[in-house]
Amino acid sequence: TFTIGAALPLMIAWAIPESLVIPAVASSSLVSLALLGGIAAYAGGAKITVGALRVTFWGVLAMLLTAGVGHLFGVVA
């Protein structure tokens, strides 16, 4: 699932201009997370919307924390 989830953001990063990489990869990663969260919820017999939202929420939080730490250490583009 890691490979499948990473495929869309990697293809986006490869195909678009460098100036758009960060927002495009972030948004495509969230779309991948939502899709995979929904699929996992379906496979587990849970509500698809709840699973997709849960995984997307934690993904957004992880991205924000990562960006915050990067900003703190001066490594954000």
Side-chain angles (χ1 to χ4, degrees), residues 27-49:
S27 59
S28 64
S29 294
L30 292 175
V31 168
S32 291
L33 284 170
L35 288 172
L36 290 173
I39 291 169
Y42 177 78
K47 292 184 179 180
I48 294 171
T49 307

Side-chain angles (χ1 to χ4, degrees), residues 36-74:
L36 290 173
I39 291 169
Y42 177 78
K47 292 184 179 180
I48 294 171
T49 307
V50 173
L53 288 174
R54 181 181 296 130
V55 171
T56 305
F57 170 78
W58 290 111
V60 168
L61 186 62
M63 287 182 190
L64 289 173
L65 288 171
T66 301
V69 169
H71 183 72
L72 237 136
F73 290 98

Side-chain angles (χ1 to χ4, degrees), residues 8-34:
L8 178 62
L10 284 174
M11 287 188 293
I12 296 291
W14 177 72
I16 63 167
E18 188 177 342
S19 63
L20 299 174
V21 167
I22 291 175
V25 169
S27 59
S28 64
S29 294
L30 292 175
V31 168
S32 291
L33 284 170

